[in-house]
Amino acid sequence: MNSKILLDNLRCIPDWPIKGVNFRDVTTLFKSPEALREITDEMYDIYKDKGITKIVGIESRGFVMSSALALRLGAGIVLCRKPGKLPCETVQESYAKEYGIDTIEIHKDAINENDVILLHDDLLATGGTMKAACDLVKKFNPKRVYCNFIIELHEEFPNSRDCFDKDIEITSLLKF
């Protein structure tokens, strides 16, 4: 899609957090009312007819657009967080990262088999966190699972979508 308003408002920080990385900072999209409206409108157009009942926001930048879109779609929100951040009983999924193992969790009563789930995060690079979130959500046996990102780093990580199950529809608003 690569909307001009989103591209014009996206801040890129070269060599951060390490040399050679061109960090895409979505916080500049969130502070612009026009960009925020554009993201919400584009995501709404993609998902308005999919029957989404809950949006799983991935900690922490995924929370922002999950909330805005849930309001438009009439859906609920489920928070996917790091361990120890949710107050009730949780279900967890661990996954390998470059330098070790990480874990994410959601509340045990957050999703049921009648739900149609949209998982949302700000950026798709390697796909590790979102793949773990998909595996976690699938433990609840929802009717359907979709994934969405604001940004996809396709040139740097051309095979990132390969880790996802083929039945998961993946969309992104900006591709680099």
Side-chain angles (χ1 to χ4, degrees), residues 81-100:
R81 304 215 56 196
K82 294 179 178 169
K85 301 289 186 176
L86 296 171
C88 293
E89 192 174 351
T90 63
V91 178
Q92 295 185 338
E93 184 73 24
S94 294
Y95 61 102
K97 293 179 72 172
E98 289 178 82
Y99 304 107

Side-chain angles (χ1 to χ4, degrees), residues 7-56:
L7 292 171
D8 288 349
N9 282 281
L10 181 65
R11 176 171 41 205
C12 294
I13 303 167
D15 297 322
W16 196 87
I18 60 173
K19 187 164 182 63
V21 172
N22 190 20
F23 185 78
R24 303 312 199 278
D25 181 12
V26 295
T27 63
T28 54
L29 298 175
F30 299 157
K31 76 177 185 176
S32 163
E34 297 81 15
L36 194 57
R37 187 176 309 104
E38 180 78 7
I39 295 168
T40 307
D41 289 347
E42 284 191 28
M43 288 175 59
Y44 176 76
D45 286 342
I46 294 168
Y47 295 105
K48 65 184 175 189
D49 298 322
K50 305 278 188 188
I52 304 296
T53 58
K54 293 188 180 133
I55 301 175
V56 176

Side-chain angles (χ1 to χ4, degrees), residues 59-176:
E59 187 168 331
S60 68
R61 290 179 298 261
F63 295 166
V64 177
M65 293 315 304
S66 296
S67 301
L69 184 58
L71 285 172
R72 291 275 306 269
L73 291 175
I77 289 281
V78 174
L79 302 181
C80 184
R81 304 215 56 196
K82 294 179 178 169
K85 301 289 186 176
L86 296 171
C88 293
E89 192 174 351
T90 63
V91 178
Q92 295 185 338
E93 184 73 24
S94 294
Y95 61 102
K97 293 179 72 172
E98 289 178 82
Y99 304 107
I101 302 293
D102 211 346
T103 302
I104 54 174
E105 60 186 20
I106 60 177
H107 279 135
K108 187 176 183 178
D109 62 354
I111 297 170
N112 66 58
E113 65 278 350
N114 294 316
D115 283 320
V116 176
I117 303 297
L118 170 61
L119 291 108
H120 172 74
D121 204 359
D122 65 321
L123 183 103
L124 173 59
T126 65
T129 303
M130 184 60 86
K131 169 63 169 139
C134 286
D135 291 347
L136 178 57
V137 164
K138 285 192 164 197
K139 290 179 179 180
F140 294 90
N141 298 310
K143 286 183 180 177
R144 184 83 199 262
V145 177
Y146 298 90
C147 290
N148 173 265
F149 303 91
I150 296 171
I151 298 169
E152 181 174 348
L153 300 178
H154 182 72
E155 286 184 15
E156 293 174 64
F157 304 95
N159 301 317
S160 59
R161 289 181 177 227
D162 294 347
C163 69
F164 295 94
D165 295 343
K166 299 303 175 208
D167 65 329
I168 296 177
E169 180 181 306
I170 301 169
T171 59
S172 55
L173 304 183
L174 297 172
K175 284 189 180 181
F176 294 97

